[in-house]
Amino acid sequence: MAGEAVREVVIVGGGSAGWLTAGVIAAEHRDRNGPTLRVTVVESPDVPAIGVGEGTWPTMRDTLRRIGVGEAEFVRTCDATFKQGSQFIGWVDGRPQDRYSHPFSLPQGFGEVQLGATWAARGDEASFAHLASVQPHLCDAGRGPKQFATPEYAAVANYAYHLDATALGGFLRAHCVDRLGVRHVVGHMEGIETHDNGDIAVLRVRDQPAIGGDLFVDCTGMRALLIGAHYGIPTTPVDEALFNDRALALQVPYAAADTPIACQTRATAQSAGWIWDIGLSARRGVGHVYASAFISDDQAEAELHAYIAASGGAPAHQLPAARRIDLQPGYRRTPWHRNCVAIGLAAGFVEPLEASALVLVELAAARLAEEMPTDRADMDLLAARFNHTFAERWQRVVEFLKLHYLLSRRDTPYWQAHRAQDSVPQALRERLQLWRHQPPSRADFPRSEEIFPSASWQYILYGMGVRPQPRPARRTEDPAQAQARFEEVAALSRRMLPALPAHRALVEHIKAHGLPRL
């Protein structure tokens, strides 16, 4: 076994995670003559996709380009629109004017000038993000992040996507099978056979021949049939820090065909959770994420329908029943065990705030594709490194999401509980102490592939009302330089707003005419 080459990769489970992983591996392992590694996806016809992960990070552009997908084709097939960040409404204290942005674009002059101290010294009501970045102004005006003539995947302003997650799985399946040579087996897995050393050898699949492989990827969602049910690798719960354990999801039609499409995810705080609002071209995806310990399902659904009605949606009796999704906030510290790697919900899930689910799939698939073991002898070494990296990434996600909650001044029991110090991870408490005087920086997050760079932490920290306390002057905190950057943002906004199309106009143009290829 030790010297056997890895030639067959078997992915169990389709959906976004399975087909993204298949596409990334298959695209990486091929030459002029075709695939150099055989990739098989075993997809059960009995298990529907969850289909609510409708927000992505800008990394998705590189992932789609990497596997050879055309952006215009993707936009058409997946009802995709452009996401330029997130807007948080009511998170600080719930007043009518309580809203701030987390844009994807870095603050102006990031890495050269620190803007936080000068922003805090102004003492006015201008938000940090609006002073530091053009992107919130584009979102407020409903502008797209590129022009009609901007090539595929290129950007005027940094962007990700909102998309129909169910359509994404089908779109990627067709691409992987038709263009990348991935083998697709439709059948329900009924059993696992192992080698003497404990490695998975063969999958027994209903109405199909047994499927053997060298490396198996568990993309079976929260069922985690390989890593959990077979190997018993436990999940590390994070419900002491993040309380949300349920979600109610609805698809809400627009009031009119020409209704503007929001180009940022809107997250609106509620009494015991928050509501996401994602704009696709044909509909909105709206859902309430909440903690069942603080609110009943009926109350949560009432808050959801009240939000939909107040935001221009149909009344409750004209909408279908909301779909309830049970969440189990936690992650596996050992997602790679023996010759089995868990990716997607099988590896973990905390909650959909800040769209971390799909980006973790992308990062895991890319890491596996780039460091695919040559033979079994390398596998345990690579697994240890993979597990260490992703345990750190999951913990960082937990800390980043917790930051959104613990700084709130809302006064319901749910929000009060989030401020309890014993619910705050120790590493986050230590950083917050340092951040009283200095901004989040690369020293806090030294990895080159941080999901949330230090700029993201600044946007949340300052958006939630934290203002840096005075300290001795630093060269990078020169108020004159910072003010010059604020003026650059204002000037850029004046130039870019009339030059960029409305978001809906951009999407409709792409669907009708496509985009130039680089």
Side-chain angles (χ1 to χ4, degrees):
M1 288 295 299
E4 291 189 3
V6 174
R7 292 288 180 264
E8 298 269 354
V9 176
V10 179
I11 299 168
V12 186
S16 300
W19 289 108
L20 269 173
T21 302
V24 171
I25 293 174
E28 180 72 16
H29 292 271
R30 60 193 300 106
D31 58 22
R32 294 178 181 177
N33 299 316
T36 58
L37 193 69
R38 190 179 192 187
V39 180
T40 299
V41 175
V42 181
E43 191 170 30
S44 172
D46 303 334
V47 181
I50 289 181
V52 296
E54 298 186 327
T56 71
W57 270 78
T59 51
M60 184 61 75
R61 288 157 53 201
D62 289 332
T63 298
L64 295 176
R65 180 168 45 197
R66 179 177 188 169
I67 66 178
V69 167
E71 188 174 36
E73 181 187 9
F74 162 72
V75 168
R76 293 186 191 107
T77 307
C78 299
D79 194 22
T81 57
F82 296 100
K83 174 183 176 181
Q84 299 187 60
S86 297
Q87 183 183 50
F88 296 92
I89 303 166
W91 285 69
V92 179
D93 54 22
R95 294 179 299 162
Q97 66 270 35
D98 174 8
R99 59 187 62 209
Y100 72 93
S101 294
H102 174 198
F104 285 142
S105 294
L106 297 173
Q108 194 76 3
F110 185 72
E112 301 172 359
V113 183
Q114 291 289 355
L115 305 178
T118 302
W119 161 75
R122 288 169 59 105
D124 57 25
E125 292 298 316
S127 77
F128 174 77
H130 280 78
L131 282 174
S133 171
V134 172
Q135 203 148 40
H137 301 277
L138 302 182
C139 291
D140 290 347
R143 299 296 179 184
K146 60 199 299 175
Q147 296 170 315
F148 295 157
T150 307
E152 290 198 324
Y153 299 117
V156 175
N158 195 17
Y159 68 85
Y161 306 101
H162 289 140
L163 52 85
D164 182 321
T166 302
L168 176 66
F171 172 71
L172 292 172
R173 180 196 304 126
H175 179 80
C176 288
V177 173
D178 297 342
R179 302 184 190 180
L180 295 177
V182 174
R183 182 170 68 132
H184 182 207
V185 176
V186 179
H188 189 75
M189 193 190 79
E190 294 187 323
I192 297 171
E193 297 177 11
T194 60
H195 293 293
D196 290 342
N197 71 344
D199 282 2
I200 297 173
V202 168
L203 304 180
R204 296 195 304 273
V205 180
R206 183 193 305 158
D207 300 327
Q208 296 283 354
I211 298 173
D214 305 307
L215 182 67
F216 293 80
V217 184
D218 188 343
C219 292
T220 61
M222 293 181 183
R223 297 172 301 145
L225 297 179
L226 306 186
I227 198 73
H230 176 68
Y231 277 126
I233 301 300
T235 297
T236 298
V238 299
D239 53 358
E240 290 185 356
L242 299 172
F243 310 147
N244 295 334
D245 60 355
R246 288 185 188 165
L248 295 169
L250 273 172
Q251 296 182 1
V252 179
Y254 287 111
D258 60 351
T259 300
I261 304 170
C263 45
Q264 56 189 344
T265 298
R266 288 173 173 155
T268 302
Q270 303 295 307
S271 65
W274 59 278
I275 288 174
W276 78 74
D277 194 338
I278 286 174
L280 305 185
S281 58
R283 62 168 175 83
R284 294 156 57 198
V286 184
H288 189 180
V289 186
Y290 59 97
S292 61
F294 294 89
I295 191 173
S296 70
D297 294 336
D298 288 344
Q299 289 173 308
E301 188 162 14
E303 288 189 359
L304 176 61
H305 282 293
Y307 171 87
I308 292 171
S311 60
H317 69 274
Q318 294 181 11
L319 294 171
R323 181 156 62 104
R324 197 185 100 178
I325 303 163
D326 291 327
L327 310 176
Q328 300 168 355
Y331 63 94
R332 286 184 169 84
R333 291 185 176 274
T334 309
W336 189 337
H337 178 73
R338 306 204 64 85
N339 67 335
C340 173
V341 187
I343 293 179
L345 297 180
F349 184 74
V350 285
E351 64 161 274
L353 186 68
E354 294 284 10
S356 59
L358 281 176
V359 70
L360 281 163
V361 171
E362 294 176 74
L363 289 170
R367 180 69 171 266
L368 182 59
E370 292 162 4
E371 296 195 351
M372 180 66 63
T374 302
D375 57 31
R376 183 62 182 84
D378 293 343
M379 200 172 290
D380 292 336
L381 298 175
L382 292 169
R385 195 157 65 184
F386 183 98
N387 291 338
H388 177 75
T389 296
F390 280 89
E392 281 193 353
R393 282 181 171 151
W394 276 108
Q395 189 54 40
R396 194 79 79 243
V397 168
V398 171
E399 293 164 5
F400 184 63
L401 300 191
K402 183 64 176 181
L403 183 69
H404 296 62
Y405 293 100
L406 71 91
L407 298 174
S408 176
R409 299 193 294 274
R410 294 180 68 100
D411 60 1
T412 62
Y414 168 87
W415 294 94
Q416 291 171 351
H418 268 298
R419 293 194 288 272
Q421 284 300 293
D422 60 1
S423 77
V424 183
Q426 178 65 28
L428 180 55
R429 276 184 280 179
E430 292 171 357
R431 290 194 193 98
L432 283 169
Q433 180 175 334
L434 293 174
W435 291 341
R436 291 179 304 163
H437 297 285
Q438 62 191 48
S441 70
R442 292 189 179 97
D444 297 298
F445 311 106
R447 281 191 176 275
S448 61
E449 292 182 326
E450 287 286 349
I451 298 176
F452 307 112
S454 57
S456 292
W457 295 75
Q458 288 185 30
Y459 283 130
I460 303 306
L461 195 70
Y462 301 152
M464 290 297 298
V466 174
R467 291 180 178 263
Q469 298 177 17
R471 65 172 182 169
R474 304 288 197 278
R475 176 186 59 81
T476 56
E477 295 175 353
D478 176 25
Q481 290 190 47
Q483 185 59 37
R485 296 301 190 276
F486 295 154
E487 291 171 3
E488 287 174 9
V489 168
L492 281 170
S493 298
R494 289 192 294 271
R495 290 201 302 270
M496 291 174 67
L497 283 171
L500 288 168
H503 188 199
R504 180 174 287 281
L506 174 62
V507 172
E508 291 178 350
H509 174 87
I510 293 170
K511 289 184 174 182
H513 305 289
L515 286 167
R517 294 287 185 105
L518 283 173

